[in-house]
Amino acid sequence: MEIAALVVSLLAFGVSGLVSWRQLRLSHHANALPVVVDLFREHRSVRLARARTFVHEELPACDLSLGLAGLPEEGRDLVRELGWYYDNLGALVAHGVVDVEPVSGYLGGSVISVWEQMEPLVRAERARRMQKSLPDPDRWQAYFETLYHLVRETPPEQARTQASLWRPSS
């Protein structure tokens, strides 16, 4: 009789633990959802679409060895805005506020292509900041760089196909 009571108690404890864990996950998703929706909406904005177009079509013609100083004023503003967007998103992912899977599944291709276009500029800008003795020059766009690596580890196609409700068209 005592063994049966112990088994029932352990089972109840296990079920309670699983339910608590599930509630915690649901709570995390509920808290992150408005943030993710706003970030995805912002990514679709006309301004950031223009910034991505600039990065892909006009940035290669600029002198990236000068960092931001090598860009025309409007291009500099667009690159800053886009870089900050991905840097902020990277901070949220790196600190576990937002999971990398939905970010990679939805924005991963853009994260990869924009970082690869901007990387020489970022490296030059960090060097420029170091020469000017600005505090923590390597931190500039560090979360964006981290996001790039995290998306590379969980590529967009993998992130989408591993989603339990993913149903691609045939």
Side-chain angles (χ1 to χ4, degrees):
M1 188 61 105
E2 289 178 20
I3 292 176
L6 179 62
V7 168
V8 169
S9 293
L10 288 174
L11 247 133
F13 180 72
V15 168
S16 174
L18 285 172
V19 168
S20 295
W21 179 82
R22 177 75 175 140
Q23 276 302 113
L24 188 61
R25 287 294 295 162
L26 289 172
S27 174
H28 170 77
H29 288 297
N31 290 334
L33 183 62
V35 173
V36 172
V37 169
D38 283 346
L39 287 167
F40 288 175
R41 180 180 308 121
E42 184 177 354
H43 192 264
R44 293 187 309 266
S45 73
V46 172
R47 180 81 174 159
L48 287 187
R50 169 71 184 113
R52 289 190 301 279
T53 299
F54 178 86
V55 164
H56 291 295
E57 295 178 4
E58 298 175 48
L59 187 65
C62 297
D63 186 357
L64 302 183
S65 68
L66 298 173
L68 291 171
L71 304 181
E73 187 175 345
E74 182 193 6
R76 189 170 40 247
D77 291 344
L78 291 168
V79 165
R80 263 196 205 115
E81 203 167 322
L82 187 60
W84 285 334
Y85 171 84
Y86 287 125
D87 203 50
N88 290 336
L89 183 57
L92 294 172
V93 171
H95 291 285
V97 176
V98 175
D99 294 330
V100 71
E101 291 82 3
V103 171
S104 181
Y106 189 68
L107 304 176
S110 293
V111 169
I112 291 169
S113 65
V114 170
W115 173 259
E116 289 175 352
Q117 289 291 104
M118 283 181 56
E119 184 178 14
L121 178 132
V122 170
R123 301 251 178 255
E125 183 64 21
R126 288 175 181 170
R128 190 182 72 75
R129 289 168 182 244
M130 188 173 291
Q131 289 173 347
K132 290 185 170 192
S133 298
L134 294 175
D136 208 5
D138 288 336
R139 187 184 72 205
W140 194 72
Q141 298 300 311
Y143 280 115
F144 181 8
E145 184 175 8
T146 296
L147 180 62
Y148 168 78
H149 292 294
L150 291 171
V151 167
R152 284 301 223 181
E153 291 169 12
T154 308
E157 185 61 30
Q158 176 186 327
R160 288 188 292 265
T161 57
Q162 288 180 349
S164 62
L165 298 177
W166 177 253
R167 302 291 185 270
S169 61
S170 299

